[in-house]
Each structure stands twice: as structure tokens, then as C-alpha cells.
Amino acid sequence: MEKLYKINDKDNVYVLKEPVLSGELIEIDGNPIRIPYDMGRGHKLAASKIQKGEKVIKFGMKIGSATKEIQLGEHVHLNNLKSDYLPTYSKDERFDNK
């Protein structure tokens, strides 16, 4: 887990310390995780399974809610996370340019 860190022990996400490439294999708590696409430093990966509606915790604080079940090691981002505080920053079709 040299590429990952938890900011706070209460967090249910790890943060990437450096970029990872598509196909790269990393390990989370003894579980091999294949990275599906390139991700930059600072992106979040689930530290455990996160249920739909469960709060996502980073910095020891709730940063939003899971919009669907998120698997261990899965990228936590706009496709599966909504902000409980800034809805315009969440992936929401109401804000897509058409």
C-alpha cells in the first residue's frame, strides 16, 4: 500500500499518493486490486465495501454519500458519490450542458 494512505483512521477511503496506470496491480489490506484506468494523485479508492447511501468519510469527516454500492478498491468519484453539501459539484444530469 505504498501508493495509498488514509488521512484519518475513521476514513473509509484511501487517497493515492502518486498516479496509477490502467492495469496496474495494487494491494489493499492483502487484496489485489487491478486499476481499471489511469488515476492521478489525490483520487480516492474505497478502503472497504461502501453500501449505497452510506457516508463516504475522508479527513475523518463525511464528504458525501455513495449513490451505489462501491466495492473494495473501487474509485470513489462523481460516478458513485454525491456531495451532501455542494450538489452542483456532483454528477447530476440536471447540470449537464445539452
Side-chain angles (χ1 to χ4, degrees):
M1 292 192 351
E2 65 278 349
K3 291 190 176 192
L4 302 171
Y5 68 99
K6 271 190 184 178
I7 296 170
N8 185 290
D9 288 337
K10 296 177 186 174
D11 294 354
N12 59 3
V13 295
Y14 284 106
V15 177
L16 288 171
K17 292 193 277 187
E18 56 187 75
V20 292
L21 300 175
S22 175
E24 190 170 337
L25 192 63
I26 61 170
E27 190 174 295
I28 296 179
D29 298 329
N31 298 290
I33 305 294
R34 178 96 36 211
I35 300 299
Y37 43 81
D38 295 354
M39 284 185 254
R41 181 178 56 145
H43 282 263
K44 299 173 293 299
L45 300 179
S48 61
K49 182 188 266 187
I50 301 172
Q51 298 295 329
K52 180 179 180 179
E54 186 178 343
K55 299 299 179 190
V56 174
I57 302 171
K58 181 179 175 186
F59 310 114
M61 301 174 66
K62 298 170 189 169
I63 63 166
S65 299
T67 58
K68 62 181 185 177
E69 186 175 273
I70 303 170
Q71 300 301 315
L72 168 71
E74 188 176 344
H75 189 201
V76 179
H77 202 52
L78 299 176
N79 63 315
N80 55 18
L81 171 70
K82 74 172 181 106
S83 172
D84 294 335
Y85 312 102
L86 300 170
T88 58
Y89 286 27
S90 297
K91 183 164 179 58
D92 187 325
E93 58 277 351
R94 293 176 297 163
F95 301 104
D96 287 346
N97 293 326
K98 295 183 181 186

